[in-house]
């Protein structure tokens, strides 16, 4: 069995995740493709994740790829999470993950509509939803791009109030337009487009998927798509365990077992009794890159790419992750997490080392902080889709 120690795993990470200086990309499309997808739950993470891996980089570069060239697209993918990926990978994620998410979202919405009394029986609820879907798709096509609120103004059915979590202490209501757009996005029919206001905003305009794919998403067989997604993930994140893949993709153990049976990866000894997996054509040793530093944003795809993180995280997890397992901003030195960062009340980037890394590392991190400050300008980043971490609370004041 091939032995791959922690040093080699960290070298692979630096090169394949475009974090080593010599491995940096020229644009955000390369970054997204090489990491399979960028976490997009927090819009700002997409930008900062790309800048950390690019030569230069500005807001304009990412916006152009998302909204003008349309070479990147947002979609609801693995673990029901919003990701940004390339157009060649999007159909793979759709078939391997999003379609299953869509089935659950449709079932959930039908339940909400039944409780809300839009029809007298299940068949009537399904008919009502089908008609309202058609109304929403046609209205969005006519507008070209629209917020959920704007779309709701086009037809009384889209303004229907549905009850969420009926009977619970946190019961609430929502217009069906918002929930319907979420379902249509999961089914690969509409896309989260340009946000209202700042690039950090969570209030998206929606657009037809055909603006990115004029002929619609290419069809992939579910099993073949799962295998292709796992192959791409192993190329970027291997060696990794079967449990890492299960967690990252949001699949069941049965799905992972079937996929790995088809891919036939090679096993590698990761030490400590852990067995990692590699693609059969990916056994060459990686030459360690020159020492590198990085400031990665919250929910960056690198620290969120594995379930077992001790080999790069050490004991720093409690200070850098929120209570539900989302990582905050992190400092990296040569393939391992050594601290965290945040913006203070004046918007300045403040770094905190959680271990002694030496003067060279500290200087490299400061240089990266200065580099990040350029595209950020006077924008203030703040957690909106996750909890603040212990370190963020300490640094931000």
């Amino acid at each position: 069995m091939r032995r791959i120690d922690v040093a080699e795993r960290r070298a692979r990470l630096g090169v394949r995740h475009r974090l080593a200086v010599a491995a940096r990309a020229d644009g955000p499309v390369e970054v997204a493709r090489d990491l399979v997808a960028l976490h997009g739950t927090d819009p700002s993470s997409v930008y900062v994740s790309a800048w950390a891996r690019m030569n230069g980089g500005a807001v304009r570069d990412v916006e152009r790829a998302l909204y003008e060239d349309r070479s990147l697209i947002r979609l609801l993918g693995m673990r029901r999470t919003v990701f940004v990926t390339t157009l060649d990978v999007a159909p793979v994620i759709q078939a391997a993950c999003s379609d299953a998410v869509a089935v659950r979202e449709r079932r959930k919405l039908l339940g909400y509509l039944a409780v809300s009394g839009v029809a007298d029986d299940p068949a009537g609820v399904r008919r009502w939803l089908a008609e309202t879907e058609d109304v929403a798709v046609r209205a969005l096509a006519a507008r070209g791009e629209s917020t959920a609120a704007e779309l709701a103004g086009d037809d009384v059915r889209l303004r229907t109030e549905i009850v969420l979590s009926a009977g619970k202490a946190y019961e609430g209501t929502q217009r069906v337009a918002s929930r319907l757009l979420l379902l249509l996005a999961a089914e690969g029919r509409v896309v989260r487009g340009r946000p209202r206001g700042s690039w950090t905003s969570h209030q998206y305009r929606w657009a037809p998927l055909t603006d990115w794919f004029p002929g619609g998403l290419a069809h992939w067989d579910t099993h073949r798509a799962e295998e292709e997604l796992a192959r791409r993930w192993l190329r970027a994140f291997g060696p990794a365990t079967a449990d890492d893949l299960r967690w990252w993709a949001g699949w069941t153990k049965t799905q992972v077992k079937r996929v790995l049976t088809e891919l036939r990866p090679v096993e590698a000894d990761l030490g400590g009794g852990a067995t990692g997996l590699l693609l059969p054509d990916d056994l060459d040793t990686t030459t360690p890159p020159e020492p590198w530093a990085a400031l990665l944003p919250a929910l960056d795809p690198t620290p969120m790419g594995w379930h077992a993180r001790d080999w790069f995280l050490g004991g720093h997890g409690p200070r850098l992750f929120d209570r539900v397992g989302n990582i905050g901003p992190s400092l990296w030195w040569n393939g391992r997490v050594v601290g965290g960062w945040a913006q203070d009340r004046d918007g300045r980037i403040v770094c905190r080392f959680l271990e002694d890394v030496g003067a060279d590392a500290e200087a490299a991190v400061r240089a990266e902080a200065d580099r990040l400050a350029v595209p950020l300008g006077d924008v203030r980043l703040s957690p909106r889709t996750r909890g603040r971490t212990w370190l963020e609370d300490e640094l931000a004041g």
Side-chain angles (χ1 to χ4, degrees):
M1 187 183 297
R2 169 102 149 80
R3 175 67 189 275
I4 298 184
D5 60 17
V6 169
E8 185 170 349
R9 294 187 77 182
R10 292 173 179 171
R12 279 178 169 247
L13 183 155
V15 173
R16 301 194 180 195
H17 288 213
R18 300 281 194 167
L19 291 167
V21 175
R24 285 178 184 161
D26 292 326
V29 175
E30 293 175 68
V31 174
R33 181 178 289 115
D34 284 356
L35 277 83
V36 186
L38 304 177
H39 275 257
T41 306
D42 187 333
S44 63
S45 292
V46 175
Y47 290 76
V48 181
S49 290
W51 296 337
R53 298 168 168 88
M54 288 170 57
N55 294 309
V59 171
R60 174 71 177 153
D61 297 319
V62 183
E63 288 187 330
R64 183 169 53 245
L66 280 168
Y67 312 125
E68 296 171 24
D69 299 342
R70 290 175 177 159
S71 50
L72 293 177
I73 187 171
R74 286 190 181 91
L75 77 169
L76 199 64
M78 294 71 75
R79 306 187 309 282
R80 195 183 173 274
T81 296
V82 177
F83 285 89
V84 168
T85 193
T86 53
L87 300 194
D88 56 326
V89 178
V92 176
I93 293 177
Q94 181 68 40
C97 300
S98 308
D99 285 347
V101 172
V103 170
R104 295 192 292 271
E105 289 300 318
R106 177 168 292 276
R107 186 184 306 122
K108 193 183 302 181
L109 180 53
L110 286 168
Y112 292 149
L113 291 170
V115 169
S116 302
V118 300
D120 295 330
D121 57 73
V125 173
R126 289 193 293 273
R127 283 196 301 272
W128 189 95
L129 177 56
E131 293 169 0
T132 308
E133 285 178 63
D134 185 56
V135 167
V137 170
R138 285 189 284 108
L140 188 60
R143 283 180 171 271
E145 193 174 73
S146 172
T147 66
E150 290 167 345
L151 203 65
D154 289 349
D155 191 283
V156 65
R157 283 165 290 189
L158 296 172
R159 296 194 293 275
T160 301
E161 296 282 339
I162 57 175
V163 179
L164 308 180
S165 305
K168 305 290 186 181
Y170 45 88
E171 176 182 313
T173 61
Q174 183 182 45
R175 281 184 173 179
V176 75
S178 297
R179 201 78 198 189
L180 184 54
L181 286 167
L182 177 67
L183 170 60
L184 294 174
E187 291 181 340
R189 299 167 68 185
V190 304
V191 174
R192 291 167 176 82
R194 191 185 292 271
R196 296 179 62 190
S198 167
W199 54 272
T200 65
S201 172
H202 291 73
Q203 294 184 336
Y204 293 107
R205 294 181 178 90
W206 297 82
L209 178 90
T210 50
D211 287 355
W212 276 257
F213 291 91
L217 285 168
H219 174 73
W220 277 72
D221 170 78
T222 300
H223 287 176
R224 300 289 82 78
E226 289 172 347
E227 292 158 19
E228 177 62 17
L229 186 61
R231 182 181 293 108
R232 288 175 178 268
W233 178 81
L234 275 174
R235 184 76 63 188
F237 293 86
T241 68
D243 190 55
D244 289 329
L245 174 59
R246 180 196 60 78
W247 178 85
W248 180 85
W251 291 338
T252 65
K253 290 182 178 180
T254 300
Q255 283 176 287
V256 171
K257 182 177 180 181
R258 191 204 64 77
V259 168
L260 295 180
T261 297
E262 290 297 323
L263 288 183
R264 298 183 181 180
V266 175
E267 293 187 342
D269 177 10
L270 303 181
T275 299
L277 304 173
L278 286 168
L279 294 174
D281 63 349
D282 190 26
L283 305 181
D284 292 344
T285 299
T286 299
T287 302
E290 291 296 315
W292 57 270
L295 274 68
L296 299 187
L299 298 172
D300 185 85
T302 293
M304 296 296 288
W306 294 270
H307 187 243
R309 305 179 175 110
D310 288 351
W311 61 277
F312 63 80
L313 183 63
H316 302 319
R319 294 186 176 187
L320 296 174
F321 282 76
D322 68 14
R323 294 181 179 179
V324 295
N326 297 315
I327 194 168
S330 55
L331 294 180
W332 291 69
W333 176 243
N334 284 342
R336 62 191 181 93
V337 175
V338 296
W341 63 276
Q343 289 172 291
D344 64 18
R345 293 178 180 177
D346 296 322
R348 293 173 298 194
I349 296 174
V350 182
C351 300
R352 173 66 56 82
F353 292 97
L354 297 176
E355 58 184 84
D356 183 5
V357 293
D360 289 345
E362 291 182 6
V365 166
R366 284 196 298 271
E368 283 300 297
D370 291 341
R371 194 168 77 93
L372 174 58
V374 175
L376 270 182
D378 59 1
V379 170
R380 297 290 303 277
L381 304 177
S382 60
R384 298 177 185 175
T385 58
R386 60 181 179 85
R388 281 164 63 107
T389 67
W390 177 91
L391 195 59
E392 281 178 297
D393 280 331
E394 183 178 89
L395 292 178

